[in-house]
Amino acid sequence: QVKLVESGGGLVQDGGSLRLSCAASGRTFGNYDMGWFRQAPGKEREFVAAIRWSGGATYYSDSVKGRFTISRDNAKNTVYLQMNSLKPEDTAVYSCAARAAYRLSFSPSDYDYWGQGTQVTVSS
């Protein structure tokens, strides 16, 4: 079992920045690939970014590529999402997720563990 707890969400103006954190506990964090997803009201859950267990590879959705950066610190059991140049359309609940290390995936169904989410609101 892996427990995930997100933090760092909040209200920011158009063009601003936020850094989300996801702290993991339970099984060995370094054995898991990690992903960030988001869900806006009335919309389906959307892939944002993913990172391999080693941090050696990352994958982004086209909508955030060049603006968001995913990273991890296995010594701290934490994965991060640095979000720059935020837009109102980035407003959503952001959740981190873990899957046993295999290959990067953008499909929510491939992930085994989920956090409760943190709200990000970007005002225009």
Side-chain angles (χ1 to χ4, degrees):
Q1 189 77 8
V2 176
K3 182 179 180 182
L4 303 172
V5 179
E6 302 93 337
S7 61
L11 175 64
V12 64
Q13 290 189 332
D14 191 356
S17 297
L18 282 174
R19 187 176 82 153
L20 305 183
S21 299
C22 172
S25 60
R27 296 189 176 180
T28 305
F29 180 66
N31 290 343
Y32 291 86
D33 296 335
M34 300 296 295
W36 283 99
F37 294 80
R38 66 187 182 186
Q39 188 167 21
K43 295 188 177 181
E44 292 187 354
R45 181 174 282 168
E46 175 189 17
F47 170 77
V48 175
I51 187 166
R52 285 283 277 148
W53 64 273
S54 63
T58 56
Y59 184 43
Y60 298 93
S61 70
D62 288 343
S63 61
V64 307
K65 195 174 298 182
R67 300 188 297 122
F68 291 12
T69 302
I70 188 171
S71 61
R72 67 190 294 161
D73 185 339
N74 286 350
K76 295 183 178 180
N77 290 350
T78 303
V79 62
Y80 305 97
L81 185 68
Q82 177 66 44
M83 305 186 295
N84 299 328
S85 303
L86 283 161
K87 307 174 183 180
E89 52 264 43
D90 294 318
T91 295
V93 174
Y94 284 71
S95 300
C96 65
R99 70 181 299 233
Y102 180 50
R103 64 166 64 101
L104 290 180
S105 171
F106 60 85
S107 174
S109 63
D110 286 337
Y111 288 80
D112 304 305
Y113 303 101
W114 291 83
Q116 83 289 347
T118 185
Q119 177 70 46
V120 172
T121 303
V122 184
S123 63
S124 57

